[in-house]
């Protein structure tokens, strides 16, 4: 399973990269705004910087919602670096844009996916990645992991090459359960990734080993 970090924060991206487990980065307009990135030039520059830090797929989201605008914007984003993945919302014009970029050999990430039907359409349109938003479904008392399972079944039935990129991850159990289901990728904030490291028995055991090591002289 590939690990992407879901942030536009350069320090956190570097920290995840230094851990040696990072395969890519996803961002969205809210994450960019959180970092105070404003204006087209600053946004493009920020994506370029991320591409220089991480060798892997970097999702850059279009801000427009009509077909023509998404195509123009996506082409500009794709021109920043060969690792840019154009992130497109699951709307009618978005499906058409996914097909356009797929035919052109430009990678895409279909975002804001909340149903198996939407994921099926994204795969039919040739999306490279589909992003079901687990946490946001959980937030409305709907089982987000169940959606990942449904998409896995459908994609396996027809051997669709679209990769499931489980998004809106809130905790380490989301990551573990996605791995059990067979999600191709998870994209997570840094904290849930780091909490995979933690177990009290590891800490206790290490403290004991260190104490005993001192007795060895
Ligand atoms: C996906 O690519 C999105 O950027 C992200 O995972 C959304 O997560 P949130 O629901 O925590 O905002």
């Amino acid at each position: 399973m590939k690990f992407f970090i879901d942030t536009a924060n350069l320090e956190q991206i570097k920290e995840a990269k230094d851990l040696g487990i990072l395969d890519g980065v996803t961002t969205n307009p809210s994450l960019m705004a959180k970092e105070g990135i404003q204006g087209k030039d600053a946004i493009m520059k920020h994506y370029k910087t991320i591409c220089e830090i991480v060798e892997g797929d970097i999702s850059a989201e279009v801000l427009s919602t009509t077909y023509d605008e998404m195509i123009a914007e996506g082409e500009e984003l794709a021109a920043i670096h060969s690792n840019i993945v154009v992130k497109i919302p699951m709307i009618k014009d978005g499906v058409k844009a996914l097909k356009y970029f797929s035919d052109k050999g430009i990678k895409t990430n279909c975002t804001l996916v909340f149903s198996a039907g939407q994921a099926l359409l994204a795969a039919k349109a040739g999306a490279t990645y589909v992003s079901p938003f687990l946490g946001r479904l959980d937030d409305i008392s709907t089982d987000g992991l169940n959606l990942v399972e449904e998409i896995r079944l459908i994609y396996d039935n027809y051997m669709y090459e679209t990769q499931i990129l489980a998004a809106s991850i809130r905790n380490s159990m989301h990551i573990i359960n996605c791995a059990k289901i067979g999600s191709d990728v998870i994209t997570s904030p840094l904290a849930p990734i780091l909490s995979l490291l933690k177990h009290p028995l590891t800490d206790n055991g290490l403290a004991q080993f260190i104490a005993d090591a001192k007795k060895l002289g």
Side-chain angles (χ1 to χ4, degrees):
M1 187 171 75
K2 288 190 273 189
F3 273 52
F4 290 179
I5 188 165
D6 194 31
T7 184
N9 181 285
L10 299 181
E11 292 313 309
Q12 292 186 11
I13 290 170
K14 283 178 196 158
E15 189 175 338
K17 191 213 165 175
D18 287 347
L19 200 54
I21 51 85
L22 193 62
D23 301 299
V25 180
T26 55
T27 60
N28 63 40
S30 307
L31 294 170
M32 293 294 266
K34 202 170 156 192
E35 298 308 314
I37 316 292
Q38 280 179 333
K40 190 176 163 188
D41 289 350
I43 292 171
M44 304 290 264
K45 191 164 165 258
H46 202 72
Y47 283 136
K48 194 163 180 287
T49 306
I50 295 173
C51 290
E52 282 160 4
I53 297 170
V54 178
E55 225 180 283
D57 284 348
I58 313 297
S59 287
E61 189 159 343
V62 297
L63 305 178
S64 47
T65 52
T66 65
Y67 176 76
D68 289 339
E69 286 172 319
M70 281 190 275
I71 298 304
E73 208 184 327
E75 281 184 337
E76 269 192 88
L77 290 168
I80 296 173
H81 193 281
S82 56
N83 286 345
I84 288 285
V85 174
V86 181
K87 199 171 177 189
I88 293 173
M90 170 37 77
I91 53 176
K92 199 172 176 185
D93 277 14
V95 173
K96 287 157 67 180
L98 289 170
K99 177 76 175 105
Y100 172 88
F101 286 119
S102 162
D103 288 347
K104 279 198 84 177
I106 292 174
K107 288 186 186 180
T108 54
N109 173 359
C110 181
T111 190
L112 291 165
V113 166
F114 293 94
S115 76
Q118 291 178 326
L120 181 56
L121 275 180
K124 286 287 292 174
T128 314
Y129 296 104
V130 67
S131 289
F133 276 37
L134 269 68
R136 292 193 194 186
L137 281 169
D138 288 358
D139 290 345
I140 57 159
S141 304
T142 305
D143 186 355
L145 285 162
N146 183 51
L147 174 59
V148 178
E149 271 175 326
E150 284 185 314
I151 301 172
R152 183 73 284 156
L153 176 68
I154 292 169
Y155 284 8
D156 288 350
N157 279 348
Y158 298 97
M159 290 185 284
Y160 284 123
E161 286 177 12
T162 301
Q163 295 177 55
I164 303 173
L165 197 176
S168 189
I169 296 281
R170 301 272 198 263
N171 53 58
S172 58
M173 283 313 296
H174 270 155
I175 300 178
I176 293 161
N177 284 323
C178 282
K180 285 184 185 171
I181 291 166
S183 186
D184 300 289
V185 192
I186 57 94
T187 188
S188 168
L190 184 60
I193 295 174
L194 292 181
S195 74
L196 289 172
L197 278 166
K198 296 194 184 117
H199 198 287
L201 292 179
T202 304
D203 296 340
N204 294 346
L206 184 61
Q208 187 66 56
F209 286 155
I210 290 168
D212 288 342
K214 284 181 185 150
K215 296 176 196 163
L216 300 177

